[in-house]
Amino acid sequence: MAAAEAAAVVLSCLKPDPAPVPESAGTAAATAATSSAMAAAAAVAAAARTGSEARVSKPALATKLLSLSGVFAVHKPKGPTSAELLNRLKEKLLAEAGMPSPEWTKRKKQTLKIGHGGTLDSAARGVLVVGIGRGTKMLTSMLSGSKRYIAIGELGKATDTLDSTGKVTEEKPYDKITQEDIESILQKFTGNIMQVPPLIILSRFLNLSLFLLPSSLSVSLLYFASYSALKKDGQRLSALMKRGEEVEAKPARPVTVYSLSLQKFQPPFFTLDVECGGGFYIRSLVSDIGKELSSCANVLELTRTKQGPFTLEEHALPEDKWTIDDIAQSLERCSSLFPAELALKKSKPEESNEQVLSCEYITLNETKGEDDVIKTL
């Protein structure tokens, strides 16, 4: 029923009796009845308008979502992996846009691309750069830019993953280490240096004798697997190891540390402020510092405070801001952070009535290191 018709019905039902009534009571009663009727009619009309707006808003939001294009940043908390966080972001956007909805399933499909550049471990938090639409093509430039971290290291314990999530493999005394000792060696890890990526020996099996096992069950010697994002032929080393394939340890490679300072020392914990280039491993740095101090160390906490032009305080959207409107505003603000050659050209307006959202799952191979992975959904 239309809003006007509903209002008319309500008015007719609540219209006061035309019979004369005493002035003192009748006037007040009539006024009250009329006011009630008008309020009810207004409520019905508002409800009708709200229902109509709701039917229009979802397609409009879907159209706006599909038109988003650029690069922005989100705040990744500890716990989820970068890929899991990207899926969470995607799901929130799809839900807000009401996609996919049955009424759109027969219409033209439009692919939404969304990806992240620069993986953070599940135990780490901080800036995670996200590309949406054609902005996914800009993510590669994020890998070559500088990154900044606040890392809390723990002296006296080494783990198989070089951070607090791993199994303790070694313990050494640290009680004689001073703040001056740490500060004096930081220069060795600043500038253009060589660094060995963090690797872990998962298992070592010698070939078993045919006298013990059938040849079909003989086991080859397995060497090293990585807990990092390092890849071989586009596949993670850890995944190769799980399939029983042989993986060789990676050699030291050149990396760049732009600045490195000790922020706090409260044994056994020390806090570092590190600005580095792509392909650098904070876990390896902390472990190497422990060794240089004739002890050992692992990463207890890790926060990325900057990636490229994006900072945690100024640009990273918390989860309560993962909305289509907030991301659109962030894309607009962040567009000025990039040089002109990286700026996205304006695209043609999308056909608002001919779009259905589908998701494209692509993994790009521009992988440089632990924090240098692009994943596009």
Side-chain angles (χ1 to χ4, degrees):
M1 181 180 294
E5 295 175 349
V9 172
V10 173
L11 285 171
S12 64
C13 292
L14 296 178
K15 186 175 180 180
D17 192 338
V21 293
E23 182 67 20
S24 58
T27 300
T31 300
T34 302
S35 298
S36 298
M38 294 180 66
V44 172
R49 287 196 303 272
T50 300
S52 176
E53 290 170 358
R55 288 192 296 273
V56 173
S57 64
K58 291 299 183 181
L61 283 172
T63 297
K64 186 171 184 178
L65 174 60
L66 292 171
S67 70
L68 296 180
S69 195
V71 179
F72 62 103
V74 297
H75 186 171
K76 177 195 171 302
K78 290 177 62 176
T81 65
S82 296
E84 289 169 346
L85 194 76
L86 194 66
N87 281 326
R88 186 188 301 178
L89 170 63
K90 178 195 67 178
E91 289 170 1
K92 287 177 72 73
L93 294 176
L94 294 181
E96 182 184 358
M99 303 299 294
S101 63
E103 62 186 275
W104 288 43
T105 54
K106 295 182 180 180
R107 301 181 184 181
K108 180 181 177 182
K109 289 188 177 181
Q110 179 74 27
T111 298
L112 173 72
K113 290 184 179 181
I114 185 169
H116 68 78
T119 296
L120 275 175
D121 288 338
S122 59
R125 58 183 291 270
V127 177
L128 183 67
V129 175
V130 176
I132 190 168
R134 290 175 297 117
T136 56
K137 297 180 180 179
M138 301 171 63
L139 292 176
T140 304
S141 64
M142 294 292 100
L143 305 185
S144 58
S146 67
K147 305 175 181 67
R148 194 163 190 168
Y149 298 87
I150 297 296
I152 300 178
E154 180 184 16
L155 290 168
K157 290 183 181 179
T159 69
D160 54 6
T161 59
L162 307 189
D163 64 17
S164 59
T165 65
K167 179 181 179 181
V168 176
T169 57
E170 185 180 23
E171 293 189 52
K172 286 187 175 182
Y174 59 85
D175 54 299
K176 293 184 179 180
I177 298 175
T178 66
Q179 180 170 328
E180 291 71 23
D181 292 332
I182 299 178
E183 291 175 336
S184 66
I185 67 168
L186 294 186
Q187 188 61 35
K188 295 182 179 181
F189 300 97
T190 305
N192 297 319
I193 63 174
M194 299 297 290
Q195 186 186 64
V196 177
L199 296 172
I200 175 177
I201 299 177
L202 286 185
S203 56
R204 288 193 178 196
F205 297 101
L206 294 176
N207 288 329
L208 300 178
S209 170
L210 294 178
F211 293 102
L212 299 176
L213 289 173
S215 59
S216 60
L217 296 179
S218 63
V219 184
S220 299
L221 182 64
L222 301 179
Y223 288 100
F224 302 93
S226 171
Y227 272 110
S228 70
L230 287 176
K231 293 185 177 182
K232 176 184 178 182
D233 299 328
Q235 300 183 62
R236 288 182 182 270
L237 300 187
S238 55
L240 295 176
M241 283 295 295
K242 289 178 181 178
R243 295 203 299 266
E245 297 184 27
E246 183 176 314
V247 176
E248 296 181 356
K250 293 285 184 178
R253 57 186 180 175
V255 292
T256 302
V257 178
Y258 300 108
S259 65
L260 174 60
S261 61
L262 180 65
Q263 300 295 302
K264 185 178 181 181
F265 181 52
Q266 187 175 354
F269 309 113
F270 60 99
T271 303
L272 301 174
D273 186 341
V274 188
E275 185 170 6
C276 57
F280 187 80
Y281 292 85
I282 301 297
R283 290 179 292 166
S284 289
L285 170 67
V286 170
S287 176
D288 291 342
I289 288 175
K291 294 175 183 177
E292 190 69 25
L293 294 167
S294 299
S295 182
C296 54
N298 72 93
V299 174
L300 189 66
E301 297 280 347
L302 182 62
T303 302
R304 182 158 64 197
T305 59
K306 177 181 177 290
Q307 182 178 359
F310 299 96
T311 64
L312 182 60
E313 292 184 357
E314 296 181 54
H315 307 110
L317 296 177
E319 189 165 355
D320 61 353
K321 296 290 185 180
W322 294 357
T323 68
I324 296 172
D325 284 340
D326 284 320
I327 290 175
Q329 293 173 16
S330 182
L331 289 171
E332 182 68 25
R333 291 194 304 269
C334 293
S335 62
S336 62
L337 299 176
F338 299 96
E341 59 269 21
L342 290 179
L344 291 171
K345 297 180 180 179
K346 291 185 178 180
S347 58
K348 296 180 180 179
E350 304 285 354
E351 299 177 8
S352 60
N353 294 324
E354 296 296 330
Q355 296 166 352
V356 168
L357 191 60
S358 63
C359 295
E360 185 177 47
Y361 292 84
I362 304 173
T363 299
L364 304 181
N365 293 324
E366 296 90 343
T367 303
K368 294 186 178 180
E370 175 181 33
D371 306 304
D372 294 340
V373 176
I374 296 177
K375 183 171 183 180
T376 305
L377 298 180

